[in-house]
């Protein structure tokens, strides 16, 4: 959806681009390496793995081209938030602690810290990925789900036909725990 949104944003008619969505998302890098397609859209570590194998090059970042898209957000029922504010606060504080760590450490230090979570990815690849993300200013410094990001996400969903109309930010998002 983000790729198609970027095409639209750049006045490229999606109907003039052959986007093969029949490939399982986890298999797109292998399909590309096998000769299918001229371009592929990949998350990490697949993008860097394609480069390191000599099967392709990262030519653009969808995140840079689209603007800040909140790929990860967390939801809870209003009733849960009201009954468990200490849990929500502790969770928000933990997110902030991780963001502070990323903001205050080198890509090499971050790669070392996250390596246990990615046992299938070697340290060199992790360092490349983290350095790329740091260079693109990918990481936020606050867990607040800002209105601009909310609106962009809704625009992408509406452009893709997944959302009929924009929803009110004020009714769906709280930033009280960030403060």
């Amino acid at each position: 959806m983000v790729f198609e949104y970027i095409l639209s944003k750049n006045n490229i008619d999606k109907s003039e681009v052959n986007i093969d969505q029949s490939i399982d998302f986890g298999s797109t890098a292998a399909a590309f390496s096998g000769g299918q397609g001229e371009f592929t859209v990949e998350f990490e570590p697949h993008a860097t793995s394609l480069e390191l194998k000599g099967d392709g090059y990262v030519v653009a970042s969808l995140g840079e081209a689209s603007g800040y898209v909140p790929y990860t957000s967390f939801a809870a029922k209003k009733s849960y938030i009201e009954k468990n504010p200490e849990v929500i606060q502790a969770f928000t504080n933990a997110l902030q602690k991780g963001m502070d760590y990323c903001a205050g450490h080198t890509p090499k230090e971050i790669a070392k810290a996250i390596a246990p979570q990615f046992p299938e990815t070697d340290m060199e690849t992790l360092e490349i990925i983290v350095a790329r993300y740091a260079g693109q200013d990918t990481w936020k410094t606050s867990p607040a789900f800002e209105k601009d990001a909310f609106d962009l996400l809704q625009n992408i969903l509406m452009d893709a036909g997944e959302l009929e109309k924009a929803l009110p930010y004020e009714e769906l998002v709280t930033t009280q725990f960030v403060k």
Side-chain angles (χ1 to χ4, degrees):
M1 287 186 282
V2 172
F3 179 64
E4 290 178 356
Y5 177 79
I6 294 167
L7 292 176
S8 294
K9 187 174 138 182
N10 288 282
N11 300 315
I12 298 171
D13 186 344
K14 294 180 275 190
S15 67
E16 295 184 27
V17 179
N18 180 16
I19 302 174
D20 184 351
Q21 295 187 17
S22 69
I23 304 167
D24 176 68
F25 189 73
S27 302
T28 56
F32 182 75
S33 290
Q36 190 163 348
E38 295 179 52
F39 296 90
T40 183
V41 175
E42 299 295 334
F43 280 105
E44 294 293 1
H46 301 294
T48 298
S49 294
L50 286 170
E51 277 189 328
L52 293 175
K53 290 191 310 187
D55 289 348
Y57 302 95
V58 174
V59 296
S61 161
L62 297 185
E64 285 182 312
S66 65
Y68 179 75
V69 177
Y71 279 99
T72 303
S73 59
F74 303 95
K77 290 182 177 182
K78 189 174 184 179
S79 59
Y80 183 86
I81 294 170
E82 289 170 355
K83 290 179 187 171
N84 301 283
E86 69 289 342
V87 173
I88 302 298
Q89 189 64 65
F91 183 76
T92 304
N93 293 351
L95 290 172
Q96 186 64 62
K97 187 175 179 180
M99 291 173 170
D100 292 345
Y101 183 88
C102 288
H105 289 80
T106 67
K108 186 173 188 165
E109 291 168 325
I110 296 167
K112 185 177 179 183
I114 66 172
Q117 301 301 313
F118 301 94
E120 72 287 350
T121 306
D122 64 81
M123 187 58 67
E124 176 190 5
T125 302
L126 278 177
E127 286 181 36
I128 292 168
I129 293 166
V130 172
R132 180 176 287 145
Y133 279 15
Q136 294 172 351
D137 197 25
T138 297
W139 294 308
K140 292 182 53 153
T141 56
S142 166
F145 191 178
E146 292 136 351
K147 187 171 184 331
D148 289 348
F150 181 82
D151 291 343
L152 175 58
L153 180 59
Q154 289 194 106
N155 289 337
I156 291 168
L157 292 170
M158 287 187 291
D159 188 66
E162 298 295 328
L163 183 65
E164 290 182 24
K165 63 178 183 163
L167 302 168
Y169 172 84
E170 297 76 17
E171 291 180 27
L172 296 173
V173 177
T174 180
T175 58
Q176 76 184 72
F177 297 95
V178 175
K179 297 173 184 168

